[in-house]
Amino acid sequence: MLFKQLFEPISSTYTYLLGCEETGQAILIDPVLPTWSRDLAVIAELGLRLVYTLDTHIHADHITAASTLKRESGSRIAHPAIDALPCTDEPVREGTPLAIGGLRIDPLFTPGHTDGHHAYRVGDRVLTGDALLIDGCGRTDFQNGDAPALYRSVRETLFSLPDETLVYPAHDYEGRRVSSIAQEKVRNPRLGGDRSLAAFVALMSELDLAYPTFIDYAVPGNRECGACPADVPEDLQRYCKQMSGSRQG
Ligand SMILES: [Fe+2]
């Protein structure tokens, strides 16, 4: 498998490129609108062809590049079936692996950050979206977020994966790139150790986080698989514009 962790600096999102070396087929997980052409260039350089995009959830902090990549490359839009987005070409659900050539992606239903959130296990790696971050987790105060559900998703679903499974989150704001299930079980300050459900719920209710800057535009845009709403104000246009010269990752 070819695997690349690409970074989008406006929303500090990691986009994952997975490619099958035998068939040349590739998938992008959580692609971000401003970096769509960078991602396609990386795919072309590797001699791959984009067949699918796939999101972990309906994002509130950026707009997915799914529909732009479909238009530009002919890729199909895979998305959790539970979100019932009319623009989805390939609905995914736990129990039904998605095949990319010889690669197998296993969706894991991990609600709590949003009610439709899925993580994706690929061999000895798991892409945890916003359910489990390195030393953290996604917030639970919007998009039908539910702290008890997130506690169960992480502690019962993700922490039941083998300890050596590598954890690749959808974001990191401090430049960290990878962790493991064993490390998060021990060190995660919100969900690790002997943290109880009640203590986690209390902690999440006391975070007092700011209202998300882009949520009022990102959520409707992502419900259309990545349309930039017409009313995005000037100071937020950077979320919609293609970035040039970004070759991080
Ligand atoms: Fe999110």
Side-chain angles (χ1 to χ4, degrees), residues 33-45:
L33 191 52
T35 37
W36 69 265
S37 61
R38 181 273 314 263
D39 296 353
L40 275 189
V42 173
I43 289 169
E45 272 173 27

Side-chain angles (χ1 to χ4, degrees), residues 3 5 10 95 100 111 150 193 200:
F3 182 88
Q5 184 182 33
I10 297 167
I100 311 297
L150 183 60
F200 177 70

Side-chain angles (χ1 to χ4, degrees), residues 57-61 113-114 130 143 171:
H57 63 293
I58 295 172
H59 304 279
D61 66 330
H113 170 62
T114 71
D130 288 5
Q143 299 180 279
H171 299 285

Side-chain angles (χ1 to χ4, degrees), residues 3-96:
F3 182 88
K4 273 198 173 288
Q5 184 182 33
L6 303 157
F7 185 64
E8 191 282 324
I10 297 167
S11 57
S12 295
T13 299
Y14 287 124
T15 296
Y16 295 94
L17 166 61
L18 285 66
C20 168
E21 289 170 280
E22 280 133 54
T23 62
Q25 295 184 20
I27 184 169
L28 283 170
I29 297 176
D30 287 340
V32 187
L33 191 52
T35 37
W36 69 265
S37 61
R38 181 273 314 263
D39 296 353
L40 275 189
V42 173
I43 289 169
E45 272 173 27
L46 292 168
L48 299 169
R49 180 172 58 89
L50 185 66
V51 295
Y52 281 115
T53 59
L54 173 62
D55 280 277
T56 51
H57 63 293
I58 295 172
H59 304 279
D61 66 330
H62 68 265
I63 289 187
T64 174
S67 64
T68 299
L69 289 163
K70 177 178 180 173
R71 187 187 73 222
E72 298 292 328
S73 76
S75 53
R76 286 166 59 76
I77 298 174
H79 190 89
I82 189 173
D83 285 331
L85 301 183
C87 50
T88 300
D89 298 314
E90 185 75 28
V92 302
R93 47 177 67 80
E94 184 169 307
T96 306

Side-chain angles (χ1 to χ4, degrees), residues 210-226:
Y211 188 78
T213 314
F214 194 50
I215 188 170
D216 293 334
Y217 307 99
V219 170
N222 286 327
R223 295 199 67 87
E224 294 182 49
C225 294

Side-chain angles (χ1 to χ4, degrees), residues 221-240:
N222 286 327
R223 295 199 67 87
E224 294 182 49
C225 294
C228 230
D231 57 344
V232 173
E234 188 62 34
D235 63 324
L236 298 177
Q237 281 290 335
R238 66 187 183 283
Y239 289 92
C240 292

